[in-house]
Amino acid sequence: MRRNPSSYPLTWHLMDILEAVFSKIWPKGGGLWNPYLMLSPAILLIGLLVLGLGYIGDISLRTLDTSTFLFSEEWSLTNYERALTEPFIRSVIWRSILGATIVTMITLLLAFPYTYVMVRTRSAFLRKFLLIALFLPFFIGQVVRAYGWLIILGKQGIVNDILGLVGIEPLRMLFNYPSVLFGLVQYMFPFAVLMLAPALTAIPEEIEAASESLGASWVETMLHVVLPMAKPGLIGAGLVVLTLSLTDFAMPAILGGGTQDFVANAIYDQFFRTSDQGFGSSLAVILIVIGSLLVWVIFMLVGAGTLALGAKDK
Amino acid sequence: MTFDKQIKRRNLLKTTALLGIAGAAGSMAPSLLKAAPAKPKEIIIRAWGGPWVEALKAGVSDPFTAKTGIQVRHDLTEDNEIQPKVWAAVAQKRTPPIHINWDTTTNATKSALRGVCEDLSDLPNLKGTTDLAKPVGVDGYPIVNTYGYVYVLAYRPSAFPSGPPESYHDLLDPKFKGRLAFYNDGIGFHFPAQVAGGGKLDGIPSNMKPCWDFVSKIKAQEPLLGEDPDFVTWFQNGEIDAACTISTNALGAKRNGVDIAWTIPKEGAKFDTDGLWIPRGHSEGDLYWCKEYINQALSKESQQIWLDGLGLPGVIPGLQPPPGLAGDPSYPTKPADFDRLIRISGKIQVENESEWFSKFKAIMQG
């Protein structure tokens, strides 16, 4: 039986409108090109990004003349050479990669049990509590959260006040590498849980029951059944956390107290503090290359996880 | 014939009288009455927020609006963030997003070297300014310096019971470990550190090893690194005992009731200036009124009110220091006051600051 058009989903109506507008503009239609024309907004968006990247790539090959603050007409690899030989920049790049890797591992370790409990619990109260605990900080911006940690962990902060009650001298818990990683883990945690939740929800509970009925302990079931089946979710969450951490600006700037710059902070300095957009652009290109390489290696080793959007893993 | 003559004579007298009045008015307000072009509804001044913009508004913007009827909008975008936008607008021959940039002279020097600043050498009030108004290292007046400031050594008196620190070497005492603060790129500290490390100011920029050696010693004290607002917060929270910072921050903390004092150590202190400049690309009319604004900023009345709020010495002779700042090392007025202040050309600074910042950060983040 034919459905009543009013019961069609909203997206179908939108497509109808788009088609009507399209046929008004081009009555003969695009024939086989129609699907590609539908893709044009996405292509336009990507095109703009590529255009921006092209500009960054171009300016990264031009050196700044500090006697005129104009860029060279000729291309050269001077900025890249400087970026890869200057000890400070090398240490910043290394700190960013190491930090992003540590943050990804810790975040996944924490997010997995949290998500598992959230999707498996039979208590509606607990599920709601975990969801609220997840989303409440999610709705607060990164900068505000970082300043929140300054209030909590600062020398005059709440934690030191409590330690003071038992006679412990105030400790400096901020402005070091661990505090930046801590802030990043706290910031990335909801992203990881949100990426993991669909993957864990998709694992039928019956499979766990079957595993245990065949004699596997709960630990064995987790290790040999749930974890392998959750792998796509773990990979997807890991990729998101890794790339976001690698390019983060606010946490190193605020919780690092000027002592723990990541690449994004170095880029900001070059663009806005020393006005050397050429060198800053070369750092941006290096960051993009590093991020892409890391993602490519993960794709090659373990696939794209849930980011493959249904495509079969190799 | 007689009638004609009388008329002519009357006309002549009238004309002469009118010319006389116009001439007298012109001498009183030299630029305003000389073929003033149409007024824009508003002009946009980039400024720093908080007490900085309040002081500018009270001292310059409000009197300018009262005099001309032109509204002044203050754009609080950071100076170093507006810079690429202005440069891009000038390069693309678009109207810049601001009319006047209130900028550090070092930052403004980059714009001047790039050729994006209008010439300000015809401002009438420039005649009454001190040498401080002239930017060092650039030709003419692409920027007009409007006041100076000192990177003082601010300290908590209770942490220095035997008197103010006399030298940056005093900060190497182990009791100050973790209780010092500097700017995160070391600005303000490079030059005194050069002296503290046994070097000479002539060695800037060719031989700065003494500077980096001393910065390495300071690094062992695990200082906090931050920006202007951080220093006030850290002093307020009792987290630091000493900091190399702009005197305005120390004064701001003191005005907020923080127990703080400041000094110039024997190595000296960096002296720098801020200024006003107009980006190229505005219409002739807008440019005229922008120049009037800067001219207003160089008047004695405006300088007095504006700089009272900032606690900084201006570029017009005879300004009265704000209460408590007469004779203060952060408020130099006489030539002798500048003996221990270090002033390096803006051109040398902009040509080398990228390297200095990187080196400082490499040591501090190493």
Side-chain angles (χ1 to χ4, degrees), chain A residues 66-70 82 86 88 95 155-156 172 175 257-259 261 268-269 272-275 277, chain B residues 80-81 83-84 110 113-114 178 184-185 222 224-225 227 237 239 350-351 353-354 357-358 361-362 365:
Chain A
T66 53
S67 63
T68 60
F69 275 82
L70 294 169
R82 181 182 161 198
E86 204 169 281
F88 171 61
R95 184 184 296 129
K155 267 205 168 175
Q156 309 293 317
R172 188 196 277 187
F175 312 135
T259 62
D261 284 357
Y268 177 90
D269 281 352
F272 299 111
R273 212 181 280 268
T274 59
S275 312
Q277 293 180 14
Chain B
N80 48 10
E81 288 174 9
Q83 189 187 61
K110 296 176 194 172
L113 291 171
R114 197 179 159 99
N184 55 25
D185 49 17
E222 298 176 9
L224 298 184
L225 303 173
E227 300 283 354
N237 292 345
E239 291 194 45
V350 299
E351 284 177 352
E353 67 173 16
S354 177
F357 292 169
S358 285
K361 286 194 165 200
Q365 299 192 19

Side-chain angles (χ1 to χ4, degrees), chain B residues 59 125 294-304 316 319:
Chain B
N125 282 343
I294 297 179
N295 202 45
Q296 171 78 41
L298 294 176
S299 69
K300 192 171 181 182
E301 314 79 63
S302 281
Q303 284 256 306
Q304 186 69 62
I316 303 291
L319 295 176

Side-chain angles (χ1 to χ4, degrees), chain B residues 41-311:
Chain B
K41 276 186 185 169
E42 66 167 13
I43 58 171
I44 305 166
I45 317 291
R46 193 223 68 83
W48 291 284
W52 294 79
V53 71
E54 290 306 318
L56 180 77
K57 187 173 180 297
V60 189
S61 301
D62 286 350
F64 176 77
T65 302
K67 194 153 118 187
T68 64
I70 299 169
Q71 296 299 314
V72 176
R73 182 148 57 96
H74 300 103
D75 179 334
L76 303 185
T77 308
E78 274 296 311
D79 53 341
N80 48 10
E81 288 174 9
I82 202 81
Q83 189 187 61
K85 294 179 186 174
V86 170
W87 287 8
V90 175
Q92 294 161 11
K93 302 192 187 313
R94 287 186 285 113
T95 305
I98 52 167
H99 285 91
I100 296 173
N101 199 357
W102 181 15
D103 208 351
T104 63
T105 302
T106 309
N107 216 24
T109 300
K110 296 176 194 172
S111 297
L113 291 171
R114 197 179 159 99
V116 301
C117 305
E118 292 283 2
D119 175 39
L120 301 174
S121 55
D122 57 350
L123 295 181
N125 282 343
L126 267 181
K127 286 177 193 143
T129 58
T130 61
D131 289 346
L132 199 59
K134 171 84 179 75
V136 180
V138 290
D139 296 329
Y141 282 90
I143 312 149
V144 172
N145 295 333
T146 47
Y147 55 82
Y149 53 89
V150 180
Y151 287 85
V152 294
L153 175 54
Y155 63 96
R156 186 185 304 284
S158 56
F160 294 86
S162 54
E166 290 177 359
S167 161
Y168 272 108
H169 284 275
D170 294 350
L171 305 185
L172 299 177
D173 189 321
K175 72 177 180 178
F176 296 123
K177 191 163 189 169
R179 298 198 58 82
L180 307 174
F182 296 88
Y183 286 100
N184 55 25
D185 49 17
I187 197 162
F189 184 55
H190 301 131
F191 307 149
Q194 169 82 354
V195 180
K200 291 184 175 170
L201 294 176
D202 296 347
I204 298 171
S206 56
N207 176 21
M208 303 232 348
K209 189 175 178 300
C211 165
W212 309 127
D213 288 345
F214 191 71
V215 169
S216 299
K217 287 181 183 172
I218 286 287
K219 197 259 175 180
Q221 291 290 72
E222 298 176 9
L224 298 184
L225 303 173
E227 300 283 354
D228 283 324
D230 298 321
F231 293 100
V232 179
T233 307
W234 289 335
F235 270 118
Q236 272 176 336
N237 292 345
E239 291 194 45
I240 55 173
D241 291 327
C244 173
T245 184
I246 294 175
S247 59
T248 308
N249 295 325
L251 183 66
K254 190 172 186 173
R255 284 174 176 171
N256 282 338
V258 178
D259 180 25
I260 189 174
W262 50 89
T263 185
I264 293 179
K266 69 179 183 187
E267 292 86 2
K270 185 188 177 193
F271 179 81
D272 220 328
T273 49
D274 286 347
L276 298 170
W277 60 277
I278 305 168
R280 288 184 190 277
H282 287 292
S283 66
E284 283 297 315
D286 283 12
L287 175 62
Y288 175 89
W289 291 106
C290 289
K291 285 187 175 181
E292 284 305 320
Y293 182 93
I294 297 179
N295 202 45
Q296 171 78 41
L298 294 176
S299 69
K300 192 171 181 182
E301 314 79 63
S302 281
Q303 284 256 306
Q304 186 69 62
I305 300 167
W306 182 17
L307 301 179
D308 271 358
L310 301 180

